[in-house]
Amino acid sequence: MLKRPHILVVGSFMMDLIATTERAPGPGETVAGTGFRTAPGGKGANQAVQCARLGAHVTMAGRVGDDAFGREALQSVRTAGVDLSRVTADPSAPTGVAHILVEDTPQGVQNRITIVPGANFTLTPADLAWMEDGVRAFDMVLLQFELPMDVVEAAAGWAHAAGVPVMVNPAPAAPISDRLLACADYLSPNEHEAALLSGLPLRAGPAGVEAADLERVAAWFRARGVKELLVTLGENGAALAGTQGMLRVPCVPMERVADPTAAGDSFVGAFCTGLCAGLEREAALALASHTAALTVSRMGAQPSLPTLGEVQTLLRERGCRSVDPAALDPLAE
Ligand code: RIB
């Protein structure tokens, strides 16, 4: 019987400013776009919302600015049921923004993102000192790289010292210290981040990324203390390399990909929720791949993140054998 887990996300809030275009401009060029919208985002907030929409009890720690974007960002996360008692508003720094270009061509849809962290970067380890004791209340802590690195390292250190599992999503890619790797029970880079951080190649073979390359990269991280490496591989799905060998999960195809923004956040949030709820690794991966598939079929970050009911419906439609949709019902209670 699954349980509703308690998850702490220490991470970013952003307001996403999203322009869509049929062709991205080159340097010095101007093109006419096809649409514009704003939507709450930020890797931390996206992961928190995804965990909550799948039934987890979620607390988020972070910082917004005392401005309209900040209020809208908080409202979206609050509406998903996330506890915001550990979030503060900075009176002088603006809420973080992400400038997103979604290029929609006959060959496919891709995004380009520039973040301006604003208030996210005024958070300090001292703001999280409550974690030293308080972190024990959680089943897992999720971290990304849109906060100052000393904050990420401090949060990971407190969780690790208290024996609470830590998931580090090293995005956007940045140098990662051995100290942080030693605290990461789970590390979830995409294939580019995995290659960049390890300095090892991940070459494409006929069936996606070569298994031998994945094994080598996983061994590199394992030697630095990472127990489980979860590599997202875009249209080739994802691979989990760790204590129980290598598991691969294919990408769940959707009729239309509208916007890949937040696909990784959705995958990581769903995987952690499933695992902490009591699912086996293979089932947690299946939950994550179906959740992320729904996310890419819709526009925007948080507006695109599916609910438990929507994921259960997709699991039934696709006849997924790795996870029984009815077994997820306790997460809705
Ligand atoms: O992972 C997607 C997110 O990255 C967007 O919502 C944007 O805010 C950036 O942080």
Side-chain angles (χ1 to χ4, degrees), residues 12 14 16 40-43 46 98 100 113 115 146 261-262 265 301:
S12 58
M14 305 279 175
D16 291 353
K43 294 182 194 304
N46 294 345
I100 302 183
I113 305 181
I115 60 160
E146 289 183 337
T261 306
D265 301 329

Side-chain angles (χ1 to χ4, degrees), residues 71-253:
R71 285 184 280 280
E72 196 178 333
L74 291 182
Q75 187 53 34
S76 171
V77 179
R78 189 182 294 115
T79 304
V82 175
D83 170 14
L84 295 174
S85 57
R86 300 295 183 180
V87 176
T88 48
D90 190 311
S92 46
T95 297
V97 290
H99 193 259
I100 302 183
L101 187 66
V102 178
E103 189 186 24
D104 191 350
T105 72
Q107 288 72 46
V109 184
Q110 57 180 352
N111 63 13
R112 293 174 170 80
I113 305 181
T114 307
I115 60 160
V116 182
N120 292 295
F121 265 33
T122 69
L123 198 70
T124 68
D127 295 311
L128 300 176
W130 62 270
M131 280 184 70
E132 191 166 358
D133 284 330
V135 73
R136 288 187 175 76
F138 299 96
D139 296 305
M140 191 178 272
V141 174
L142 273 60
L143 299 159
Q144 318 75 31
F145 282 1
E146 289 183 337
L147 295 181
M149 196 52 93
D150 62 340
V151 172
V152 175
E153 286 183 352
W158 281 313
H160 187 65
V164 177
V166 176
M167 162 63 89
V168 177
N169 174 220
I176 183 166
S177 68
D178 284 352
R179 185 181 154 217
L180 181 55
L181 286 173
C183 296
D185 299 271
Y186 300 89
L187 187 79
S188 65
N190 64 27
E191 56 194 301
H192 308 292
E193 292 155 354
L196 209 70
L197 292 171
S198 66
L200 296 169
L202 277 174
R203 288 165 293 216
V209 172
E210 293 283 359
D213 283 357
L214 275 169
E215 295 282 11
R216 248 188 308 273
V217 169
W220 189 92
F221 283 108
R222 218 166 18 246
R224 283 154 186 82
V226 175
K227 295 194 187 80
E228 308 264 352
L229 182 71
L230 175 60
V231 188
T232 49
L233 302 164
E235 60 187 21
N236 293 314
L240 179 69
T243 44
Q244 297 172 11
M246 172 92 65
L247 285 172
R248 290 184 84 140
V249 64
C251 183
V252 176

Side-chain angles (χ1 to χ4, degrees), residues 32-51:
T34 51
F36 176 79
R37 66 177 290 186
T38 60
K43 294 182 194 304
N46 294 345
Q47 291 175 25
V49 168
Q50 186 60 82
C51 295

